């Protein structure tokens, strides 16, 4: 199996722990699904300002987010796995952001990129949403104003870890339902 | 054509409107007059149609809040320009905060539609006769007028700041 693959510059994902013998490999389905999810996260960029520019650099050839399995930007929320909110969200945009989140299918993750998406940033004012976690649940916060592409990649890798280790029943658990209910999401 | 001087402009305005002009001053080379709220539409119409002055361009409408002026707390400010004569004019109308009402000038200038809605949005000045007097920039659910002085600039839902470090 893996021993037959020629050594190249291409790194393959390690197989999850399991039992291996002649002609078979046994592991838990949870680990296999986690592996598949973590290495093919389709991002949905919700970029409103300078953090969005940093995210574009992250997608470009220098930083190349495609190396982490996020090759394809999904501009339809229905096919997206991870929502990347990069930039200031005005209060008037809050319901739009929530609508986009609602349109995503489970399992879905959210990254708040930058100070504004995380907490409102320098815009402590009546017209700006003080962090997107006021309207949708957030999995990973990336600090910075704006954060460098390395930090955004680190945030994506954190979501990969979450996806890899998430129990299959988590999205049906009463804790998760309670979290959604606290945001008014059924 | 020689430009119209500020003195001539003010003289002609006073000749036409007399007591309706409650005050006048010249700041930064621009005439500024204080008027009755009720007379704004008449004045703008006259300025627009007058053969000499030709103030045909509405530059801006905005609001202002002076909490210390009794019964004149809110102010609507109009800027008009005569492109032909290269002259500008500022007009201020003061209103009590208990009943801030002023006639809309949308019948004369379509561009006033946005400006009046924006002024209502931030100061709560009610432009009577406006075809669609509701908020334009802020969220519809907002229940106050954010640029009035009694409301803090900072958002009450901010959670990551320790009040003692930020003087709140």
């Amino acid at each position: 199996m893996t021993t037959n693959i020629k050594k190249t510059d291409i790194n393959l994902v390690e197989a999850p722990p399991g039992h291996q013998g002649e002609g078979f490999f046994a592991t838990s389905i949870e680990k296999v699904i986690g592996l598949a999810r973590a290495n093919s996260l389709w991002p949905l960029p919700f970029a409103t300002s300078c953090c969005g520019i940093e995210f574009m650099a992250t997608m470009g050839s220098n930083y190349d987010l495609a190396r982490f399995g996020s090759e394809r930007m999904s501009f339809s929320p229905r096919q997206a796995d991870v929502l990347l909110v990069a930039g200031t969200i005005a209060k008037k945009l809050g319901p739009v952001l929530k609508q986009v989140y609602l349109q995503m299918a489970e399992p879905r993750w959210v990254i708040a990129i930058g100070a504004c998406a995380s907490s409102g940033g320098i815009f402590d004012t009546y017209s700006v949403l003080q962090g997107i976690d006021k309207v949708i649940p957030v999995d990973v916060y990336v600090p910075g104003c704006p954060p460098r592409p390395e930090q955004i990649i680190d945030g994506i890798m954190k979501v990969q870890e979450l996806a890899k280790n998430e129990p299959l029943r988590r999205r049906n658990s009463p804790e998760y339902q309670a979290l959604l209910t606290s945001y008014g999401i059924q | 054509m020689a430009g119209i001087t500020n003195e001539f402009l003010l003289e002609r305005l006073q000749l036409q409107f007399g007591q309706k002009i409650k005050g006048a001053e010249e700041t930064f080379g621009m005439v500024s007059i204080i008027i009755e709220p009720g007379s704004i539409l008449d004045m703008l119409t006259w300025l627009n149609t007058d053969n000499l002055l030709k103030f045909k361009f509405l530059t801006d409408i905005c609001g202002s809040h002076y909490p210390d002026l009794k019964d004149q707390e809110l102010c609507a400010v109009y800027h008009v320009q005569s492109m032909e004569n290269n002259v500008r004019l500022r007009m201020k109308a003061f209103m009590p905060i208990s009943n801030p009402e002023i006639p809309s000038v949308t019948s004369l200038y379509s561009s006033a539609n946005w400006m009046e809605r924006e002024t209502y949005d931030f100061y709560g000045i009610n432009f009577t006769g406006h075809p669609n007097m509701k908020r334009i920039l802020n969220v519809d659910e907002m229940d106050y007028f954010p640029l009035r002085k009694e409301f803090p600039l900072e958002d009450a839902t901010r959670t990551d700041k320790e009040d003692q470090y930020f003087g709140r």
Side-chain angles (χ1 to χ4, degrees):
Chain A
M1 292 181 67
T2 47
T3 47
N4 296 335
I5 292 173
K6 230 171 71 182
K7 277 278 177 195
T8 62
D9 289 341
I10 299 168
N11 289 323
L12 291 181
V13 175
E14 300 249 326
H19 299 288
Q20 198 171 357
E22 202 164 335
F24 80 92
F25 177 75
T27 184
S28 69
I29 188 126
E30 201 168 86
K31 290 204 174 70
V32 175
I33 289 176
L35 185 80
R37 281 177 177 171
N39 294 290
S40 65
L41 290 169
W42 286 7
L44 168 59
F46 197 99
T48 56
S49 43
C50 45
C51 288
I53 303 292
E54 294 298 311
F55 177 70
M56 291 166 212
T58 313
M59 284 307 301
S61 50
N62 265 342
Y63 294 95
D64 198 12
L65 195 61
R67 294 177 294 153
F68 299 86
S70 302
E71 174 73 28
R72 183 189 180 275
M73 291 292 106
S74 177
F75 291 101
S76 159
R78 311 229 183 249
Q79 280 97 42
D81 300 307
V82 52
L83 177 64
L84 295 130
V85 184
T88 319
I89 304 296
K91 277 184 183 163
K92 211 162 182 173
L93 199 55
V96 178
L97 179 66
K98 189 167 183 175
Q99 184 70 29
V100 168
Y101 179 79
L102 289 175
Q103 286 172 344
M104 292 171 69
E106 295 278 16
R108 54 192 167 183
W109 291 271
V110 177
I111 307 183
I113 295 174
C116 293
S118 300
S119 72
I122 58 170
F123 300 104
D124 184 2
T125 179
Y126 58 87
S127 59
V128 173
L129 197 64
Q130 303 298 305
I132 59 166
D133 53 8
K134 296 276 187 289
V135 291
I136 55 173
V138 177
D139 293 287
V140 171
Y141 297 86
V142 178
C145 187
R148 286 195 54 84
E150 290 94 330
Q151 291 171 268
I152 299 176
I153 290 177
D154 188 50
I156 300 261
M157 289 170 74
K158 289 272 192 297
V159 170
Q160 285 189 316
E161 282 306 307
L162 288 175
K164 213 176 279 181
N165 299 314
E166 183 175 301
L168 282 182
R169 291 204 195 90
R170 181 190 168 227
R171 307 273 163 175
N172 298 318
S173 66
E175 289 83 4
Y176 186 71
Q177 293 305 322
L179 174 73
L180 290 188
T181 309
S182 72
Y183 284 97
I185 301 168
Q186 287 310 308
Chain B
M1 179 182 171
I4 285 172
T5 63
N6 284 342
E7 292 74 27
F8 178 80
L9 168 63
L10 190 55
E11 210 170 286
R12 196 164 166 81
L13 273 165
Q14 276 164 339
L15 198 69
Q16 179 71 21
F17 291 103
Q19 291 306 306
K20 283 183 182 168
I21 297 172
K22 296 198 289 187
E25 58 174 347
E26 190 179 317
T27 48
F28 304 104
M30 182 174 172
V31 178
S32 175
I33 60 172
I34 297 171
I35 60 164
E36 288 279 349
S39 58
I40 181 67
L41 187 54
D42 284 348
M43 275 193 191
L44 284 180
T45 310
W46 180 80
L47 282 162
N48 186 294
T49 50
D50 186 70
N51 283 331
L52 271 177
L53 298 179
K54 297 174 182 166
F55 279 89
K56 292 196 182 293
F57 183 72
L58 178 69
T59 312
D60 193 20
I61 301 173
C62 56
S64 204
H65 184 206
Y66 302 95
D68 299 332
L69 295 182
K70 186 90 184 85
D71 287 336
Q72 300 189 337
E73 289 93 348
L74 288 176
C75 173
V77 187
Y78 296 74
H79 289 226
V80 281
Q81 185 182 13
S82 171
M83 298 261 188
E84 209 162 302
N85 298 313
N86 192 19
V87 177
R88 292 170 187 271
L89 172 67
R90 184 192 297 124
M91 306 157 88
K92 296 179 181 177
F94 287 91
M95 289 155 275
I97 203 162
S98 52
N99 184 29
E101 279 199 352
I102 189 164
S104 167
V105 297
T106 45
S107 55
L108 180 63
Y109 292 108
S110 295
S111 61
N113 190 310
W114 180 298
M115 301 171 187
E116 289 180 352
R117 267 180 78 181
E118 191 177 343
T119 308
Y120 167 75
D121 196 354
F122 286 101
Y123 291 95
I125 296 172
N126 198 8
F127 293 85
T128 52
H130 188 285
N132 191 22
M133 190 85 277
K134 61 175 189 180
R135 289 187 184 277
I136 186 165
L137 293 176
N138 285 305
V139 282
D140 292 328
E141 303 83 52
M142 189 176 260
D143 53 3
Y144 66 104
F145 301 109
L147 289 194
R148 286 191 183 177
K149 303 276 190 225
E150 65 261 40
F151 300 109
L153 175 71
E154 293 84 3
D155 196 84
T157 60
R158 185 79 179 205
T159 41
D160 71 329
K161 282 184 175 177
E162 283 282 329
D163 280 358
Q164 56 170 327
Y165 299 126
F166 291 89
R168 300 198 293 182

